[in-house]
Amino acid sequence: MSDILDKSARETLAAFAAKSLSPVDYMTALIARVEASEPKVGALYAFEPERSLAEAKAAEARYMAGAPKGALDGMPVTIKELIAVKGEPVPLGTAAIDLVPAEDDAPTSARLREDGAIMFAKTTCPDYGMLSSGLSSFHQLARNPWKLSENPGGSSAGASAAGAAGYGPLHVGTDIGGSVRLPAGWTGLFGFKPTLGRIPIYPYYTGRAAGPMTPTVDDAALLMQTITRPDWRDATSPAYEPINWDVAPADVRGMKIGLMLDAGCGIDAEPEVMAAVQAAAEAFAAHGAEIVPIAPVLSREMLDGLDVAWRARFWGMMEALSPEKRAMILPYIREWAASGAAASPVQVAQGFDQTFAMRKTAAEAFQKVDAILSPVNPNVSYPADWASPTNDPIRPFEHICFTVPWNMGEQPACSINCGFSASGMPIGLQIVAPRFQDAKVFALAKAYEGWRGPITSWPRYDRELALA
């Protein structure tokens, strides 16, 4: 039965509609996989099998009557813990937050519910979503299914772990500096950060986006049809336009594509990462694109300024807590934010202004090229119990230098697997396009995915258990 879980979302939904597969049978198989895998993977929060089976039975009845609720009726989806689902607490990954059930669905979960998706679980994240790690003072430790001693990245840690472990094909994370793309890169998934506001999100903030994390580009395209529908609560959203996300693979002949191998600061890309990304660029060249080396868009001043502004912002949140509650926050995060108390108002304002400096250089980069390729993550992997690749709260953002400029510049960007290290860990290629050209990212990613071929070696712990 577990084989049905490895079909694409479209194949599964087509089988539901044809009555050749029951949503109940699919959910039963998914529950069995989760229960066999979760003791090792640690991806989920608020996993509710009984409710999910009841929703699957209701979806089955609708399909039998020929009246499905919507485009995703009966399809299981996970939602990152930071995204509110009515009736579920939003602990923000930290033990310091009181568990109060959300009064309403956030925009993403509202759209999924409208289309009949079964939000069978939420996925784990670190304290306040401020780590590229599955380390949390509240949630269990999320691990990378490809190698359980390694980190799945973050802050959409549970989403990446769930996607790689095969908890169905559809998962939604959030990204303010790389939190969809970074974990997708470290776990082999396709992760997409849209133009700011393209997927309505609430609460919104400078650079914050929601995005799909899926095994294939096509699975993400299916999700985009639902979660991009408008919601008035996101005041950053552009005017809604119905986009055809089922784009054909891009014809790259004559395209000028930038290749950025130097992030400008932070951790240098490791040799295996550089080699994989260069090989991907060569594939674009072999199909007719002109590859143009380009300079970084980020500087040390920009990264450090953002760090100061974020430290002050999060310390303001923590300062409102009682000393007892504050002591429950992950020490790494507490130490990182505490130095924000010493920043002067001028330093905080100057730091926040660096978001606009990034916006300027990110826009300038597209005056000479149609798209940009780069690494997603500079390193191959790091231990599961580390808070970040440096594991140093004094240098917390050295690994986000390829990803964070596109949050501040608002450009659409994705991570797509472009190979594996000698140790068997996935390596991510980032594809970036100008603002509002989200469909171009999908077209380029679909082209590259076709040249690369499918990933056939996804880790499956339920099968290992069955064979033991």
Side-chain angles (χ1 to χ4, degrees):
M1 283 292 290
S2 69
D3 289 344
I4 65 175
L5 300 177
D6 295 327
K7 296 181 182 297
S8 74
R10 289 183 202 273
E11 289 172 325
T12 301
L13 287 162
F16 290 168
K19 304 181 180 63
S20 59
L21 174 63
S22 162
V24 175
D25 289 342
Y26 189 90
M27 182 59 70
T28 300
L30 178 57
I31 291 168
R33 173 170 285 178
V34 168
E35 291 178 342
S37 306
E38 266 301 270
K40 296 180 178 180
V41 176
L44 302 185
Y45 167 65
F47 172 48
E48 299 180 90
E50 291 185 4
R51 175 189 58 77
S52 301
L53 273 174
E55 291 188 22
K57 289 177 182 176
E60 179 184 61
R62 290 191 290 269
Y63 278 111
M64 294 304 293
K69 183 178 180 180
L72 298 176
D73 201 8
M75 193 70 210
V77 182
T78 72
I79 298 290
K80 186 176 179 179
E81 184 253 276
L82 299 180
I83 300 172
V85 173
K86 185 176 181 179
E88 297 287 355
V90 185
L92 303 179
T94 180
I97 298 294
D98 293 329
L99 298 181
V100 178
E103 294 184 1
D104 296 293
D105 286 330
T108 300
S109 44
R111 301 295 85 75
L112 289 168
R113 196 184 300 279
E114 288 166 1
D115 273 1
I118 300 174
M119 293 176 281
F120 71 95
K122 301 190 85 176
T123 50
T124 61
C125 66
D127 292 54
Y128 298 98
M130 284 307 297
L131 296 177
S132 287
S133 174
L135 189 63
S136 164
S137 65
F138 178 78
H139 296 297
Q140 61 188 322
L141 178 65
R143 296 177 178 273
N144 194 321
W146 290 93
K147 191 176 182 181
L148 293 170
S149 64
E150 302 305 293
N151 210 297
S155 63
S156 303
S160 64
Y167 297 1
L170 303 181
H171 309 273
V172 180
T174 62
D175 187 319
I176 198 171
S179 289
V180 161
R181 289 157 291 156
L182 292 164
W186 277 309
T187 56
L189 298 174
F190 176 75
F192 179 65
K193 181 206 77 69
T195 296
L196 185 71
R198 178 75 73 196
I199 298 172
I201 195 168
Y202 187 83
Y204 50 84
Y205 190 71
T206 303
R208 186 170 187 250
M213 302 175 70
T214 60
T216 68
V217 179
D218 188 63
D219 288 323
L222 179 68
L223 263 180
M224 291 295 285
Q225 293 176 358
T226 293
I227 62 179
T228 54
R229 291 204 303 269
D231 192 296
W232 68 268
R233 291 172 288 178
D234 188 349
T236 71
S237 286
Y240 174 70
E241 56 178 310
I243 293 173
N244 176 22
W245 297 100
D246 299 323
V247 292
D251 180 352
V252 301
R253 289 176 295 180
M255 287 187 67
K256 186 175 287 188
I257 298 178
L259 177 61
M260 183 186 296
L261 296 175
D262 176 7
C265 55
I267 301 170
D268 290 335
E270 294 177 354
E272 286 183 295
V273 173
M274 292 277 278
V277 171
Q278 286 177 318
E282 289 168 6
F284 280 87
H287 286 84
E290 179 186 354
I291 303 299
V292 182
I294 62 171
V297 295
L298 189 70
S299 69
R300 172 53 61 182
E301 182 182 12
M302 294 174 189
L303 186 66
D304 289 349
L306 182 67
D307 186 13
V308 169
W310 279 357
R311 286 176 193 251
R313 178 174 185 259
F314 279 89
W315 184 249
M317 295 166 61
M318 295 174 192
E319 197 173 36
L321 300 172
S322 68
E324 294 77 17
K325 286 286 189 180
R326 200 179 309 139
M328 300 170 74
I329 297 169
L330 193 72
Y332 181 105
I333 290 290
R334 196 171 62 244
E335 181 182 344
W336 166 75
S339 65
S344 72
V346 171
Q347 288 173 320
V348 175
Q350 290 173 337
F352 185 74
D353 280 349
Q354 291 302 320
T355 65
F356 297 99
M358 287 185 227
R359 187 183 183 96
K360 178 176 183 291
T361 57
E364 285 176 341
F366 286 101
Q367 301 313 299
K368 296 181 180 179
V369 296
D370 301 303
I372 293 172
L373 307 178
S374 80
V376 177
N377 316 297
N379 61 317
V380 167
S381 66
Y382 54 106
D385 59 356
W386 281 22
S388 72
T390 62
N391 206 32
D392 180 359
I394 304 302
R395 300 184 303 127
F397 299 138
E398 301 301 296
H399 58 288
I400 70 172
C401 300
F402 284 111
T403 53
V404 70
W406 314 118
N407 291 82
M408 302 307 134
E410 304 184 7
Q411 288 80 12
C414 78
S415 173
I416 187 167
N417 177 259
C418 64
F420 292 84
S421 69
S423 60
M425 301 304 292
I427 297 171
L429 168 72
Q430 184 169 228
I431 304 173
V432 193
R435 289 175 73 214
F436 308 117
Q437 296 187 26
D438 303 62
K440 178 183 283 187
V441 174
F442 271 75
L444 290 168
K446 190 170 286 189
Y448 179 73
E449 184 179 53
W451 307 332
R452 183 204 68 195
I455 297 174
T456 58
S457 55
W458 294 104
R460 296 291 180 261
Y461 288 98
D462 56 328
R463 290 177 189 160
E464 289 183 13
L465 188 65
L467 294 172

